[in-house]
Amino acid sequence: MTIRNSPSTPGRWGDHEFVEVWDSQPTMPLKAEQLDILADVIKDNWRRGARILDLGCGTGKVEERIFGRLPVAKFVCADRSEVMLRFARKRLAAHAQQCRFVCADLNHLDRLDLPERPFRFILLVDVVHELTDPAKRGLLRFCRQNLAPDGLVLLVDRIALDLKHLRGAHVAVLHRLQYLTGTKTGQLSDCFADPRYHDHELPYGLESYLRAFRACGLAPAVLHLHFHKALIAARPQRRSG
Ligand SMILES: C[S@@+](CC[C@H](N)C(=O)[O-])C[C@H]1O[C@@H](n2cnc3c(N)ncnc32)[C@H](O)[C@@H]1O
């Protein structure tokens, strides 16, 4: 059975059996490395009273990793899938007082009520590639509006690769990664499918991400880039002069 996402349904993320399998799998090595860096950035830039907004929080694995470094962290965790949120509540039960869970669709951000705003950190981990391009732009504008003046948006996501011109070079990197990380064929190669083939995978290329951040008043920097995964930090642009 094909479980498809649409702008208004959680698709495969609303399917308990699919989520159970997804949640039980270890985090892929590239993502794990970037999440470790992300947790360090948050820890080193933490201030008392800060809050983290995680948009597309999934089953709470990112929060768990951050709590491992920063037990005082406080989150608002938003996701469209009640199933994902159920797993997240269970995973983060020991920190229940520090997490507020919200069922929200990132296609309808006007309905998201956030009395905790502005946020020092807004996380977008492996969710932007699931949104249409207009929704991506709306999401980044929303981040800008809800970010503290010295806050950071932290995005971890796959990026579209230039397979038309550089397939051979990318395949060589893929083989090296499979060899180094012990991942099996297929586990890292989803980026080789036409990104528009699956309606839940619409990644931007790196330059499109950077342009989209700038277009909504955020100054981005690539903190880590390896193959098809990028960690990008962005802060509000400062007016010059
Ligand atoms: C690949 S999972 C990533 C989960 C988590 N950020 C992580 O990295 O472990 C993508 C998540 O984005 C959520 N998502 C996708 N589209 C969404 C939307 N339009 N609104 C809210 N959440 C969405 C899904 O329900 C799912 O939990």
Side-chain angles (χ1 to χ4, degrees):
M1 181 177 57
T2 308
I3 302 169
R4 292 191 182 283
N5 283 358
S6 80
S8 55
T9 66
R12 60 194 180 144
W13 302 118
D15 179 68
H16 183 90
E17 278 170 37
F18 176 86
V19 171
E20 198 161 39
V21 174
W22 182 86
D23 186 66
S24 67
Q25 284 165 355
T27 302
M28 285 287 134
L30 286 187
K31 180 171 175 180
E33 187 178 7
Q34 294 183 342
L35 290 181
D36 274 343
I37 300 170
L38 177 146
D40 279 343
V41 170
I42 292 177
K43 185 171 182 234
D44 287 1
N45 290 276
W46 189 256
R47 302 240 177 94
R48 241 160 63 117
R51 276 180 203 272
I52 305 168
L53 173 63
D54 186 4
L55 296 170
C57 65
T59 55
K61 287 183 171 187
V62 176
E63 283 73 9
E64 185 177 48
R65 192 178 289 261
I66 294 170
F67 276 130
R69 301 279 167 82
L70 188 66
V72 298
K74 285 200 172 135
F75 289 90
V76 175
C77 308
D79 202 285
R80 174 169 68 171
S81 161
E82 288 283 10
V83 176
M84 298 299 266
L85 288 171
R86 215 178 302 136
F87 275 75
R89 281 194 192 90
K90 195 167 167 204
R91 168 166 282 117
L92 303 172
H95 298 279
Q97 303 300 319
Q98 293 158 263
C99 301
R100 183 166 82 86
F101 296 94
V102 190
C103 189
D105 188 339
L106 304 183
N107 293 296
H108 300 287
L109 287 161
D110 49 318
R111 299 181 195 160
L112 183 50
D113 188 24
L114 293 171
E116 301 88 347
R117 66 191 292 272
F119 292 87
R120 183 150 178 80
F121 303 98
I122 301 182
L123 311 186
L124 303 170
V125 181
D126 270 341
V127 65
V128 174
H129 73 262
E130 306 220 353
L131 304 178
T132 61
D133 289 357
K136 287 182 183 74
R137 291 194 289 272
L139 176 63
L140 294 184
R141 274 197 302 276
F142 178 86
C143 290
R144 174 69 185 87
Q145 288 157 5
N146 289 279
L147 193 64
D150 54 354
L152 284 177
V153 177
L154 293 165
L155 174 143
V156 170
D157 215 319
R158 68 189 56 188
I159 54 170
L161 300 177
D162 179 0
L163 298 176
K164 196 166 162 214
H165 301 103
L166 291 164
R167 190 177 182 91
H170 287 311
V171 169
V173 178
L174 173 67
H175 287 163
R176 179 175 176 275
L177 269 172
Q178 285 172 338
Y179 166 74
L180 286 177
T181 61
T183 41
K184 296 187 198 96
T185 302
Q187 283 186 303
L188 281 168
S189 56
D190 44 4
C191 53
F192 281 89
D194 176 351
R196 309 229 164 217
Y197 181 72
H198 298 290
D199 57 7
H200 54 268
E201 290 184 5
L202 309 163
Y204 265 161
L206 183 60
E207 284 168 28
S208 301
Y209 271 118
L210 300 180
R211 256 199 313 273
F213 274 113
R214 288 189 191 108
C216 60
L218 290 161
V222 179
L223 299 187
H224 193 273
L225 175 65
H226 198 159
F227 193 45
H228 70 312
K229 293 291 274 188
L231 164 59
I232 301 175
R235 61 162 173 75
Q237 277 166 4
R238 297 198 177 112
R239 293 211 177 101
S240 52

